[in-house]
Amino acid sequence: MAPYIDEALLDDPDELLRKDSRQTLRALATAGAQVRESVTLTEEAGLTRLAEQDRPRSVLVAALGGSALVADVLELLAEPGSPVPVQARRNLPLPGWVGPLDLVVAVSLSGRAPGPLAVAAEAARRGASLLTVGADDSPLAEVCHRARGVHVGIGRGRENSRTSLWTLLTPALLGADAIGLIDCTPETMTEVARRLDERAEAYRPTSESFVNPAKLLAVQLAETVPMVLGDGPMGGVAAARASSMLARTARIPAAFGELPDAASQIVACFDGPYTRIGGRRPGTYDNARIRLGDIDTSTWEPRHFDTPDGPLLEEPRGPQGHPGDDIFADPYLDGPSPPQLGLLVLRDAPATPPTRESEEGRALTDAVFSTAREAGVRVMEAQAEAGQPITRLADHVATVDFTATYLALGLGLDPSVSPHVADLRDRTR
């Protein structure tokens, strides 16, 4: 049985504020301001010192938890044209090849995360160049200053790495631009800030559900066992972010993947227990076919055929409107039906002009859509608007962040406070 989401609560700004004890929605809405503040802080930190040095032989990015997306994004943007390799690392051991010719970027909001801190300390011991991002009065900042690296502070009021992503990501992007790995100037980040402001306005708490895409997605996801699929490398990074936010913020596990590699593993789930009835293929079960006039077909495009008695459905529909539900099932005797599988696809903006690769990618995504709908999977999609890669990624990140937060609140959960996470921390101190 799908969890209950209180849709009325999502349209009550005062109640949303009351349940959101640490003002997660407000923090997410500051994403554009985070970018602008971080551009200033990065300039003040003396980032030009990186550009004055010789280009590093390689770049290693250490980040984990809510900061992990920083490493993923740098890898994504650097891959097409970076003259040096960029790799992500969560923790020690530091690869043996890291030395004085390399640059290590370590990111931690508090500056105390054991993984990035240990990686930065070991890199400094080996004489590698350092770029760190985190609290000014932290062990990470101290390690960087001792190594004569560049440390960028986080400003004030940043308490949660999940809601302070752009505070952490912006200096790393500007640093990569300074040494020629990617094209991401302060002007580019200004455009990112503008896009994030637009999304914050569209997803604001006072915007009613029927015109708020994030609230609509939250309601739809609540009724499903969700999977998130990106239609390319950028969408794959956003899908990983979505899975993390759904788990950590909304407490809902969500598989994720990236096309084309994940097509088979995602589509294979369409044969499982969360589609139709126990995963059986269309036409292989014994339920009687029923007439179109007896059911509501407004939310499904069923396959049908003509007979002398009129059109008949090939798949029966249950009282909840899901294809494949048994209309004769008694919820009191048979128990509630399992939730429906849901597929959220994060689509990139169409390539301009179209290329053979982009057309093949869209064709594959459309094929996955068709297969999902035929299997009775609930399909949802979010498409980024045109812009530079980091701007399009900002589109998706804003969407999944707000969606996961509204989903948590609609389920009656505080998006920032998890008792079990607190218990785990107490037991591992």
Side-chain angles (χ1 to χ4, degrees):
M1 184 172 64
Y4 171 74
I5 184 168
D6 188 347
E7 296 184 43
L9 183 149
L10 295 181
D11 286 333
D12 187 338
D14 293 334
E15 188 65 10
L16 287 173
L17 181 62
R18 188 183 71 80
K19 289 187 175 296
D20 189 3
S21 68
R22 298 186 181 176
Q23 301 184 0
T24 304
L25 288 172
R26 181 172 295 177
L28 291 175
T30 67
Q34 290 177 34
V35 172
R36 286 184 283 269
E37 180 184 42
S38 291
V39 169
T40 300
L41 291 173
T42 303
E43 293 173 350
E44 293 174 350
L47 192 67
T48 54
R49 283 189 285 148
L50 284 181
E52 294 168 357
Q53 301 174 7
D54 292 336
R55 178 179 291 161
R57 177 181 58 183
S58 69
V59 177
L60 186 139
V61 188
L64 51 75
S67 308
L69 194 70
V70 174
D72 297 336
V73 172
L74 277 183
E75 280 191 304
L76 168 72
L77 297 181
E79 189 175 32
S82 172
V84 302
V86 178
Q87 295 188 14
R89 199 76 180 182
R90 302 290 188 259
N91 210 328
L92 291 176
L94 189 66
W97 47 261
V98 173
L101 299 180
D102 306 298
L103 171 67
V104 170
V105 180
V107 178
S108 167
L109 188 74
S110 67
R112 290 173 169 78
L117 179 57
V119 168
E122 177 61 17
R125 189 186 71 80
R126 297 188 194 178
S129 299
L130 281 183
L131 169 61
T132 60
V133 185
D136 283 319
D137 55 344
S138 68
L140 183 63
E142 184 178 350
V143 166
C144 187
H145 292 322
R146 285 182 189 170
R148 298 184 179 180
V150 177
H151 178 79
V152 181
I154 59 172
R156 293 178 294 178
R158 312 298 179 204
E159 300 177 355
N160 187 310
S161 59
R162 281 177 290 134
T163 58
S164 303
L165 170 65
W166 295 97
T167 291
L168 302 172
L169 180 56
T170 301
L173 293 174
L174 294 175
D177 175 78
I179 59 177
L181 271 61
I182 62 175
D183 182 12
C184 194
T185 64
E187 290 73 26
T188 301
M189 297 312 298
T190 298
E191 179 59 31
V192 170
R194 188 178 302 115
R195 182 69 59 89
L196 289 169
D197 288 343
E198 292 172 358
R199 293 296 164 263
E201 175 66 17
Y203 303 151
R204 66 191 186 278
T206 55
S207 172
E208 296 182 331
S209 293
F210 65 90
V211 294
N212 188 319
K215 290 183 180 180
L216 285 172
L217 271 180
V219 171
Q220 292 173 328
L221 285 170
E223 299 171 350
T224 70
V225 175
M227 298 189 300
V228 188
L229 187 62
D231 70 349
M234 188 196 71
V237 170
R241 171 71 173 186
S243 177
S244 174
M245 288 295 289
L246 286 170
R248 186 64 179 83
T249 303
R251 282 68 146 184
I252 290 181
F256 70 94
E258 171 192 323
L259 291 176
D261 294 347
S264 296
Q265 74 182 44
I266 293 293
V267 170
C269 296
F270 300 168
D271 297 324
Y274 298 108
T275 57
R276 303 203 181 279
I277 52 173
R280 284 178 280 180
R281 299 283 300 171
T284 63
Y285 43 78
D286 297 325
N287 295 48
R289 291 187 175 116
I290 55 178
R291 294 185 181 280
L292 281 169
D294 296 334
I295 61 174
D296 174 18
T297 62
S298 61
T299 60
W300 180 43
E301 298 177 2
R303 293 180 291 176
H304 62 275
F305 53 92
D306 295 325
T307 72
D309 297 324
L312 295 180
L313 282 176
E314 202 172 348
E315 287 84 33
R317 173 187 298 269
Q320 300 303 317
H322 297 162
D325 288 348
D326 184 356
I327 63 169
F328 302 107
D330 188 325
Y332 296 100
L333 297 177
D334 301 329
S337 59
Q340 181 186 13
L341 193 67
L343 177 64
L344 170 59
V345 180
L346 303 176
R347 306 193 72 161
D348 199 357
T352 306
T355 63
R356 182 175 63 85
E357 290 78 9
S358 68
E359 290 303 301
E360 289 176 351
R362 293 188 72 81
L364 176 59
T365 304
D366 291 340
V368 171
F369 273 17
S370 298
T371 305
R373 291 192 176 101
E374 288 179 3
V377 176
R378 184 166 197 168
V379 177
M380 299 151 278
E381 65 176 305
Q383 181 162 319
E385 292 186 7
Q388 297 194 47
I390 186 61
T391 307
R392 304 199 307 272
L393 180 64
D395 251 348
H396 281 326
V397 169
T399 298
V400 300
D401 285 0
F402 275 95
T403 295
T405 304
Y406 281 126
L407 179 53
L409 292 167
L411 295 175
L413 302 169
D414 190 326
S416 296
V417 180
S418 169
H420 289 93
V421 171
D423 288 346
L424 179 63
R425 287 173 179 164
D426 290 341
R427 291 169 179 167
T428 54
R429 282 178 178 171

